[in-house]
């Protein structure tokens, strides 16, 4: 994990599934996974895996620093610049760990980018 002095930090896993039930927690072993670090002032990104067998996606997020407990969740965009209309918001719901629900194949080829949403940061 990269060190970010004085910033709230969260780890986000982007999980690709062959099949999972949309709207329910994704369980089992994902087909592919990618991990990124999210802060309120950086925009981390990873590629969207376009394997023909991928039908669903989910996100898992974990608060890594004490000051991250003031953060509400992670905003996710389907581009490499954290801009435009987000495709998903992964809420922490007052917990340091969140396993997201299974999402349909809503992502376009290219990148997804992440930004941690925290009180007191733009």
């Amino acid at each position: 994990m990269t060190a970010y002095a004085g910033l709230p930090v969260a780890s986000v896993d982007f999980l690709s599934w062959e099949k999972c039930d949309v709207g329910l927690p994704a369980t089992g072993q994902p087909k592919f996974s990618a991990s990124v670090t999210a802060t309120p002032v950086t925009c981390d990104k990873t590629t969207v895996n376009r394997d023909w067998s991928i039908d669903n996606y989910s996100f898992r997020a974990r608060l890594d620093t004490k000051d991250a407990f003031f953060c509400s969740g992670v905003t996710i965009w389907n581009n490499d610049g954290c801009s435009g209309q987000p495709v998903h918001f992964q809420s922490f719901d007052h917990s340091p760990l969140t396993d997201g629900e299974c999402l349909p194949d809503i992502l376009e080829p290219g990148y997804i980018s992440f930004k941690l949403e925290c009180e007191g940061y733009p």
Side-chain angles (χ1 to χ4, degrees), residues 63 69 71-74 89-101:
L63 298 172
F69 287 99
C71 302
S72 58
V74 178
F89 181 76
Q90 185 68 41
S91 176
F92 286 111
D93 292 324
H94 308 291
S95 174
L97 177 66
T98 177
D99 277 323
E101 64 186 34

Side-chain angles (χ1 to χ4, degrees), residues 70-119:
F70 295 106
C71 302
S72 58
V74 178
T75 301
I76 302 159
W77 290 266
N78 197 179
N79 58 47
D80 63 352
C82 295
S83 62
Q85 184 69 30
V87 293
H88 187 68
F89 181 76
Q90 185 68 41
S91 176
F92 286 111
D93 292 324
H94 308 291
S95 174
L97 177 66
T98 177
D99 277 323
E101 64 186 34
C102 181
L103 302 172
D105 186 3
I106 58 172
L107 302 175
E108 297 294 324
Y111 293 93
I112 54 170
S113 54
F114 306 86
K115 189 173 274 192
L116 187 59
E117 298 298 330
C118 304
E119 193 173 306

